[in-house]
């Protein structure tokens, strides 16, 4: 948490915050919660609608993961997880590093930057998914990096959108884990069966 806060504060400036907010609103927000024409209550309502749409998509993807695991489509499931991890470490991580390079005027050429990102993403995916013989702290470090990169990108939402999304995600997590029909509870139950396939990562 401290590392995420540190990166959010020090790998940003006014220009990157504005560009990031515009990009996040264009990509994820279906209703603009930052408009000056809206009252606070209207902004919260639109933020909750945005959060509901995003949580519904997350819930649908979680149910898809449960179905893939239940019917032992492990190649599809692992392929998806590898693709998601590679994208997050490579593309989103690269975006974060590029912003840091621009802000602090670090002397890095394109070839070095691309080779570093390639190595960072490939080693991360290999250590997370095929970590035999790799010290435990390496995949744990990559999982922390994944969390920091994701937190950095989500910090571009405006305050109302961020808090309403956090609220909706908390409600979803409670339902997904604690209710009998929750997808995460179903996944844990499937994984605890005797003949359950192993899922790396």
């Amino acid at each position: 948490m401290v590392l995420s806060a540190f990166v959010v504060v020090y790998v940003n400036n006014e220009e990157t915050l504005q560009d990031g907010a515009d990009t996040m609103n264009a990509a994820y927000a279906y209703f603009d919660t930052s408009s000056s024409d809206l009252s606070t209550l209207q902004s919260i309502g639109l933020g909750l609608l945005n959060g509901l749409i995003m949580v519904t998509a997350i819930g649908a993807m979680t149910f898809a993961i449960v179905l893939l695991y239940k019917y032992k489509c492990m190649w599809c499931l692992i392929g998806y997880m590898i693709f998601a991890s590679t994208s997050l470490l490579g593309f989103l991580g690269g975006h974060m590093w590029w912003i840091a390079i621009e802000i602090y005027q670090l002397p890095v050429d394109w070839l070095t930057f691309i080779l570093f990102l390639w190595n960072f993403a490939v080693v991360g995916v290999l250590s997370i998914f095929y970590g035999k013989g790799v010290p435990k702290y390496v995949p744990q470090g990559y999982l922390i990096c994944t969390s920091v990169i994701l937190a950095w990108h989500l910090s571009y939402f405006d305050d109302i959108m961020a808090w309403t999304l956090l609220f909706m995600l908390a409600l979803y997590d409670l339902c997904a884990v604690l209710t009998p029909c929750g997808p995460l509870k179903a996944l844990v139950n499937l994984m605890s069966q005797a003949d359950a396939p192993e899922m790396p990562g």
Side-chain angles (χ1 to χ4, degrees):
M1 202 61 145
V2 172
L3 190 57
S4 295
F6 179 81
V7 170
V8 165
V9 170
Y10 289 105
V11 185
N12 271 320
N13 59 25
E14 290 299 321
E15 183 182 337
T16 62
L17 285 171
Q18 186 59 48
D19 289 344
D22 293 342
T23 303
M24 291 296 275
N25 283 334
Y28 296 106
Y30 298 94
F31 305 103
D32 185 13
T33 59
S34 61
S35 174
S36 59
D37 298 334
L38 299 173
S39 69
T40 303
L41 193 59
Q42 288 173 322
S43 294
I44 291 171
L46 292 178
L48 288 171
L49 279 174
N50 281 335
L52 181 63
I53 293 168
M54 295 168 83
V55 164
T56 302
I58 291 169
M61 289 187 285
T62 309
F63 273 110
I65 289 171
V66 171
L67 290 175
L68 287 172
Y69 188 82
K70 181 177 182 174
Y71 294 108
K72 296 181 173 53
C73 300
M74 297 308 289
W75 284 105
C76 292
L77 185 56
I78 292 171
Y80 161 73
M81 293 173 82
I82 289 173
F83 172 75
S85 293
T86 305
S87 299
L88 204 142
L89 290 171
F91 295 113
L92 295 182
H95 180 235
M96 187 181 82
W97 282 111
W98 186 252
I99 296 295
I101 288 168
E102 285 184 338
I103 288 173
Y104 295 107
Q105 299 293 311
L106 302 175
V108 178
D109 62 290
W110 271 102
L111 183 62
T112 306
F113 178 71
I114 290 170
L115 286 175
F116 172 78
L117 272 184
W118 169 260
N119 286 321
F120 179 72
V122 169
V123 171
V125 168
L126 290 176
S127 69
I128 291 170
F129 292 99
Y130 304 103
K132 292 181 181 170
V134 176
K136 195 173 183 177
Y137 64 85
V138 175
Q140 288 174 342
Y142 271 102
L143 291 173
I144 290 170
C145 286
T146 299
S147 300
V148 169
I149 291 167
L150 195 56
W152 183 79
H153 276 84
L154 291 177
S155 72
Y156 285 134
F157 281 125
D158 62 80
D159 290 344
I160 291 176
M161 182 64 202
W163 282 106
T164 53
L165 179 60
L166 183 65
F167 175 73
M168 295 301 288
L169 284 171
L171 288 180
Y172 168 73
D173 282 344
L174 287 172
C175 292
V177 174
L178 299 178
T179 59
C181 61
L184 295 178
K185 185 171 186 169
L187 189 60
V188 168
N189 290 339
L190 286 170
M191 289 179 151
S192 62
Q193 293 175 356
D195 61 340
E198 184 183 344
M199 187 152 72

